[in-house]
């Protein structure tokens, strides 16, 4: 693995997390870190953990840092694969091997990512925001993402834990990213550039540090949805019919876009459901007691959270279910907020750092013991 795969990590002021990230993957591949104008000890900590470091004096944002790292270290020329990790992501010991095996087995796969879980340590075991992320990661990956992977139409690249073919990665980072998050742009470019497809490897595990304050959670959640809506608008994702003069009918069906359209059609009622249920309940009050709508919503939500608690072996999710339900309503508001932002600002000039405040961990930790 060491000869064919490089790990590239862009980091700004991440001295509290970068050491664990580097140590978790240093035995699997050559690790390179770009300290993007950090004012702390990011470069020193990363080097001590086993990475080669490029320390930039000024910050240009994550995409620019990755581009500089690829250029200075000549990664695309020297390696077959380039893995991108966030500076607060840790991976299991065989993580890179599992993803590289997927890429080796199928030349049509341009990038592969594994499962990501929220790093939910005991100190913050009752933090509802982290509980919400743990639940949502499990719910999306266990259903939507595994289903998409089965049909080869995965529509998300996780920028925190993905391995790319080196030539694909070099092409993706050539230009500035016009969306709020780079990985949304990368996925759209892979699809529209016909560079291959994205694969998801569920048994390859990684962990990330999620926001633990409401302000950071809201900002990051809005930013994620904003970037996704920007990519839908900018790259016209979800339009199944493509012009193809070589076809008899003059067009072809894009199954990726069919799946994306299905997801968009699922998102629409999800976003507007809290606003639609009250008037519907009022209109039907002569036939159905309005309280039954509330009972149905709460019962189905609590039941699904209970399934997640069993699957994740986190019984406290059940106790945190009321908070998760309230945050689920807040999540719908973030999507509406992001939709409005996309209409007002469909592109950005520069993809800059906007990382939430991260909590520190034991400096000797690699993979989180509680989540294993």
């Amino acid at each position: 693995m060491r000869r064919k795969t490089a790990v590239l990590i862009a980091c700004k002021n991440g001295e509290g997390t970068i050491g664990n990230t580097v140590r978790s993957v240093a035995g699997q591949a050559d690790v390179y870190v770009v300290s993007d104008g950090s004012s702390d000890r990011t470069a020193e900590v990363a080097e001590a953990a086993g990475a080669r470091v490029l320390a930039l004096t000024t910050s240009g944002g994550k995409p620019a840092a990755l581009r500089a790292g690829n250029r200075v270290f000549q990664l695309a020329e020297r390696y077959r694969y380039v893995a991108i990790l966030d500076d607060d992501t840790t991976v299991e010991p065989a993580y890179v091997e599992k993803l590289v095996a997927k890429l080796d087995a199928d030349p049509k796969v341009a990038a592969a990512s594994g499962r990501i879980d929220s790093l939910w340590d005991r100190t913050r075991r009752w933090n509802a925001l982290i509980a919400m992320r743990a639940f949502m990661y499990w719910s999306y990956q266990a259903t939507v993402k595994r289903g998409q992977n089965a049909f080869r139409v995965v529509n998300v690249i996780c920028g925190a834990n993905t391995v790319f073919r080196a030539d694909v990665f070099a092409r993706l980072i050539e230009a500035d990213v016009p969306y709020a998050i780079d990985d949304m742009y990368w996925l759209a470019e892979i699809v529209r550039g016909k560079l291959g497809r994205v694969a998801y490897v569920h048994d390859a595990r990684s962990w990330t540090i999620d926001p633990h304050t409401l302000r950071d959670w809201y900002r990051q959640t809005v930013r994620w949805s904003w970037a996704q809506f920007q990519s839908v608008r900018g790259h016209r994702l979800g339009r199944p019919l493509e012009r193809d003069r070589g076809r008899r009918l003059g067009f072809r069906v894009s199954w990726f876009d069919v799946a994306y359209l299905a997801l968009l059609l699922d998102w629409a009622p999800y976003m507007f459901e809290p606003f639609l249920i009250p008037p519907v309940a009022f209109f039907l009050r002569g036939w159905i007691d309005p309280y039954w709508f509330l009972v149905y919503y709460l019962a189905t939500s609590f039941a699904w959270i209970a399934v997640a608690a069993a699957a994740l072996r986190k019984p406290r999710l059940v106790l945190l279910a009321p908070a998760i339900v309230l945050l689920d309503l807040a999540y719908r508001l973030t999507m509406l907020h992001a939709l409005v932002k996309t209409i007002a600002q469909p592109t950005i000039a520069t993809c800059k750092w906007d990382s939430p405040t991260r909590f520190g961990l034991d400096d000797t930790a690699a993979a989180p013991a509680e989540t294993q």
Side-chain angles (χ1 to χ4, degrees), residues 67-86:
R67 188 158 53 243
N70 181 62
R71 183 184 66 252
V72 171
F73 295 123
Q74 298 181 310
L75 303 184
E77 292 80 10
R78 296 169 51 210
Y79 295 90
R80 187 181 303 176
Y81 305 116
V82 177
I84 302 301
L85 297 184
D86 277 352

Side-chain angles (χ1 to χ4, degrees), residues 25 38 61 100 112 121 178 184 194-195 203 219-220 229 233 236 245 272 295 298 303 327 335 343 353 367:
V25 75
S38 298
V100 166
D121 65 346
M184 300 297 182
K194 302 187 185 306
L195 303 181
D203 65 346
R219 283 169 55 88
Q220 189 184 71
F229 288 143
R233 176 171 175 169
R236 300 188 175 188
R245 295 181 178 179
F272 293 105
V295 169
L298 293 177
L327 286 171
M335 293 183 72
I343 295 171
W353 293 99

Side-chain angles (χ1 to χ4, degrees), residues 11-270:
C11 180
K12 181 179 180 181
N13 295 333
E15 66 176 358
T17 59
I18 189 65
N20 290 334
T21 298
V22 172
R23 279 188 289 272
S24 75
V25 75
Q28 306 180 50
D30 297 336
V31 184
Y32 300 86
V33 170
V34 180
S35 176
D36 190 37
S38 298
S39 58
D40 63 3
R41 298 179 59 253
T42 291
E44 293 89 332
V45 173
E47 190 171 20
R52 291 187 59 185
V53 178
L54 170 64
L56 302 177
T57 56
T58 58
S59 175
K62 181 181 175 183
L66 293 175
R67 188 158 53 243
N70 181 62
R71 183 184 66 252
V72 171
F73 295 123
Q74 298 181 310
L75 303 184
E77 292 80 10
R78 296 169 51 210
Y79 295 90
R80 187 181 303 176
Y81 305 116
V82 177
I84 302 301
L85 297 184
D86 277 352
D87 64 354
D88 59 356
T89 298
T90 52
V91 300
E92 67 171 337
Y95 186 83
V96 173
E97 180 181 356
K98 291 177 180 179
L99 297 190
V100 166
K102 173 64 71 173
L103 289 157
D104 281 343
D106 189 348
K108 293 183 179 180
V109 174
S113 61
R115 171 181 169 183
I116 194 158
D117 291 309
S118 189
L119 204 163
W120 197 3
D121 65 346
R122 291 188 60 81
T123 302
R124 295 159 190 85
R125 61 188 176 275
W126 298 111
N127 186 295
L129 299 168
I130 299 177
M132 173 62 170
R133 280 287 174 84
F135 168 68
M136 292 196 69
Y137 286 154
W138 170 83
S139 182
Y140 186 81
Q141 292 174 144
T143 57
V144 176
K145 206 162 186 181
R146 295 187 80 172
Q148 289 179 341
N149 191 62
F151 288 98
R152 302 189 173 193
V153 290
V154 174
N155 74 340
V156 171
I157 285 180
C158 181
N161 68 352
T162 297
V163 178
F164 297 86
R165 294 190 184 278
D167 58 334
V168 171
F169 174 70
R171 177 169 170 176
L172 293 176
I173 62 172
E174 284 178 355
D176 291 332
V177 174
Y179 303 151
I181 296 179
D182 47 15
D183 48 25
M184 300 297 182
Y185 174 75
W186 294 342
L187 172 84
E189 284 290 291
I190 287 175
V191 173
R192 291 298 177 247
K194 302 187 185 306
L195 303 181
R197 65 181 180 87
V198 177
Y200 171 63
V201 183
H202 189 71
D203 65 346
R205 300 197 63 187
S206 64
W207 297 264
T208 190
I209 297 177
D210 285 301
H212 57 288
T213 66
L214 183 60
R215 179 179 181 274
D216 282 344
W217 178 87
Y218 189 90
R219 283 169 55 88
Q220 189 184 71
T221 305
V222 169
R223 188 163 162 258
W224 285 357
S225 293
W226 180 29
Q228 189 139 26
F229 288 143
Q230 284 178 319
S231 69
V232 170
R233 176 171 175 169
H235 280 77
R236 300 188 175 188
L237 303 179
R239 300 188 180 187
L241 300 182
E242 298 180 348
R243 291 183 180 274
D244 188 344
R245 295 181 178 179
R247 299 293 180 97
R248 187 173 182 178
L249 298 176
F251 65 85
R252 63 181 291 271
V253 176
S254 164
W255 294 110
F256 172 90
D257 288 283
V258 169
Y260 212 110
L261 178 61
L263 193 65
L264 292 174
L265 293 175
D266 177 67
W267 285 351
Y270 175 78

Side-chain angles (χ1 to χ4, degrees), residues 346-360:
T347 60
I348 61 174
T350 306
C351 186
K352 292 287 189 179
W353 293 99
D354 190 16
S355 301
T357 302
R358 292 167 294 192
F359 50 84

